[in-house]
Amino acid sequence: MKTQLERIQRDIEALSAFNATPGQGLTRLSFTPEHAQAAQYIQQAMEAAGLKVRTDPIGTLIGRLEGTDPTAPVVMVGSHFDSVKHGGNFDGPAGIVTALETARVIHDEGITPRHPMEFVAMIEEEGARFGSGLFGSRGMTGRLTQEELASNHDDQGISTAQAMEAFGLDPARYRDAVRPKGEIGSFLELHIEQGPILESTGTQVGIVETVVGICNLEITIEGRPDHAGTTPMDMRADALLAAAKLTLFVNQAAIQAGNGTVGTVGKLSLLPGSGNIVPGWVQFTVDVRSPRGDCVNQVREALFEEIRRLTQENDQLTIKVRTLMEMDPVTLDPHVRQVLQEQGEAAGLTTRTMSSGAGHDAMVMADIAHVGLVFVPSKGGRSHCPEEWTDYNQLQNGVELVCRTAMALAAEE
Ligand code: HGY
Ligand code: MN
Ligand code: MN
């Protein structure tokens, strides 16, 4: 092995400590003290590995190693280091640690690659604070909008732009994070599988071929707060009742679409929030995914139709929909997958081709680079929960594969 398990384990354990909810899973939201602490650790590790480190205008850490051919496109390795609320220690950091360890191996071996290499740590991939995920990679590929920075807000009503400013970033410069097409040749990401396949088949690493399409919506329902005891049932504008009907509708529409389509209402807030008041206001998220883009569209269109029906059924309801994020399904680069396959065999690893039901920065980076995504097993298939776990030797298998592949790509003519 070129990589060292002790360094991998040390990084994961160190990053796990930068947590707003110790003892209740990992919560590391963007533009928070935990983000700053983790960024400082990552920057120091990048510098110790001989990289020149900068932070891009939206908060992504970029550690660069010059190559012998400055005109060659960059080989980039990375992932995200924000988390969901009360999540696990491996979703994101496994890919960060992979980037750090790859940089250390190259540094240890005193190699100057032909291609320049960049090792990146992105933020707000989960969207757990502001609702729109894949933020760092969308910033690099020009998919962010001014509107989103101003309109997306956290549970305290702070917008993304305000949080960036408070963190010392200038949100007006978000476009300066964009990387021109051609500048980055390939992007490699290691991620935990967040599913049961590798563990149940005893396969060491997964090589991802496709990533599902995703549609994230924010639905806001304005009804009317009324006395729960004196308001007859046929005179109510009950916002939560409408939200409940739409939640059930999303569930049924996803099942009906089939083909692996999934639909989830994962976050809901309501006002005023007393047991004796008919809810007058509800805001909730809808997350629809499918390997088939037409199935995502089918569910979204059916949902819009149901919203129209509900507002006709009760004209005291106003229902607004805001699109938080949309990605088509992505097929990852055949050449990079081929190199991963070859390096896997050379390293004596068992591999299998997989699809991803989770979204990843890799799916966005495919806009501007040839992308490879490697999975390592998740214990019990669990993720986005404190129980999330990957054995360190399993993680090291994936790190070894990405490290060797990155070095092979960085040597290519
Ligand atoms: O939601 C996802 O698929 C990823 O964990 N951000
Ligand atoms: Mn992730
Ligand atoms: Mn995640």
Side-chain angles (χ1 to χ4, degrees):
M1 287 273 196
K2 294 175 179 283
T3 56
Q4 293 181 24
L5 188 138
E6 306 67 44
R7 298 191 300 202
I8 292 167
Q9 180 167 350
R10 182 196 64 206
D11 283 347
I12 291 284
E13 290 172 352
L15 287 169
S16 304
F18 308 129
N19 175 10
T21 57
Q24 295 164 14
L26 176 72
T27 302
R28 182 163 56 238
L29 302 184
S30 305
F31 312 122
T32 62
E34 295 73 34
H35 164 179
Q37 292 157 2
Q40 189 183 23
Y41 178 89
I42 293 166
Q43 171 143 358
Q44 284 166 355
M46 285 181 171
E47 285 164 350
L51 303 180
K52 193 163 175 316
V53 187
R54 69 183 177 93
T55 301
D56 86 356
I58 60 171
T60 295
L61 281 159
I62 301 173
R64 184 172 168 98
L65 174 66
E66 294 307 333
T68 54
D69 177 356
T71 66
V74 169
V75 173
M76 184 181 272
V77 184
S79 189
H80 66 96
F81 64 106
D82 62 303
S83 77
V84 292
K85 292 172 184 165
H86 305 291
N89 292 326
F90 293 82
D91 176 354
I96 299 294
V97 164
T98 300
L100 297 179
E101 184 62 12
T102 299
R104 285 189 288 249
V105 166
I106 291 169
H107 188 245
D108 295 346
E109 296 191 1
I111 294 168
T112 304
R114 178 171 171 272
H115 292 244
M117 297 185 78
E118 292 186 2
F119 303 87
V120 297
M122 293 184 259
I123 203 67
E124 196 59 4
E125 186 276 344
E126 300 288 4
R129 183 173 178 190
F130 301 104
S132 290
L134 304 172
F135 184 81
S137 46
R138 288 190 297 125
M140 258 193 236
T141 60
R143 285 179 180 252
L144 285 187
T145 64
Q146 182 91 37
E147 187 274 334
E148 149 171 13
L149 298 186
S151 309
N152 287 357
H153 52 82
D154 66 8
D155 296 345
Q156 285 68 45
I158 298 169
S159 72
T160 308
Q162 289 166 331
M164 289 172 74
E165 265 164 0
F167 197 72
L169 296 167
D170 175 2
R173 289 193 50 230
Y174 77 95
R175 287 189 191 84
D176 296 344
V178 175
R179 304 297 294 267
K181 258 193 188 290
E183 189 175 79
I184 300 169
S186 44
F187 175 80
L188 291 174
E189 179 171 13
L190 177 139
H191 205 281
I192 53 172
E193 179 198 343
Q194 302 177 300
I197 296 168
L198 290 175
E199 183 181 63
S200 60
T201 59
T203 313
Q204 289 173 309
V205 290
I207 296 174
V208 178
E209 184 176 23
T210 55
V211 184
V212 293
I214 304 178
C215 170
N216 289 153
L217 304 173
E218 175 192 78
I219 297 183
T220 307
I221 302 179
E222 294 269 359
R224 198 186 58 231
D226 275 317
H227 194 295
T230 58
T231 310
M233 296 307 279
D234 63 355
M235 287 176 63
R236 295 178 175 209
D238 183 336
L240 183 56
L241 178 63
K245 288 177 181 175
L246 289 174
T247 300
L248 200 58
F249 186 88
V250 165
N251 178 278
Q252 298 302 313
I255 293 168
Q256 210 161 3
N259 298 296
T261 306
V262 291
T264 313
V265 171
K267 183 178 178 182
L268 182 142
S269 343
L270 69 81
L271 288 172
S274 291
N276 58 359
I277 307 175
V278 175
W281 181 91
V282 172
Q283 187 168 81
F284 62 98
T285 59
V286 173
D287 178 305
V288 181
R289 309 185 189 202
S290 179
R292 297 239 318 246
D294 58 332
C295 291
V296 174
N297 295 337
Q298 177 187 321
V299 173
R300 183 188 41 225
E301 294 319 311
L303 180 61
F304 287 174
E305 188 47 44
E306 179 64 5
I307 287 170
R308 275 190 287 277
R309 194 191 66 76
L310 283 179
T311 47
Q312 281 156 7
E313 190 180 69
N314 183 339
D315 63 8
Q316 299 174 83
L317 289 174
T318 310
I319 304 180
K320 286 198 190 88
V321 181
R322 198 159 69 88
T323 300
L324 293 174
M325 201 266 294
E326 270 186 317
M327 288 294 299
D328 290 334
V330 173
T331 299
L332 300 184
D333 184 79
H335 171 63
V336 174
R337 283 192 282 124
Q338 176 62 30
V339 178
L340 281 165
Q341 198 66 47
E342 288 160 3
Q343 292 298 329
E345 278 152 29
L349 294 169
T350 54
T351 65
R352 64 178 292 133
T353 299
M354 303 179 73
S355 66
S356 174
H360 298 290
D361 287 309
M363 72 190 293
V364 181
M365 295 303 286
D367 288 350
I368 59 171
H370 302 291
V371 167
L373 176 59
V374 169
F375 279 169
V376 291
S378 290
K379 191 174 168 63
R382 302 289 308 280
S383 179
H384 283 189
C385 58
E387 295 77 13
E388 182 182 280
W389 179 263
T390 296
D391 289 344
Y392 288 112
N393 61 324
Q394 293 174 320
L395 175 51
Q396 184 181 16
N397 289 334
V399 177
E400 189 73 19
L401 175 57
V402 170
C403 175
R404 289 165 178 248
T405 303
M407 292 169 80
L409 292 171
E412 281 186 343
E413 292 298 321

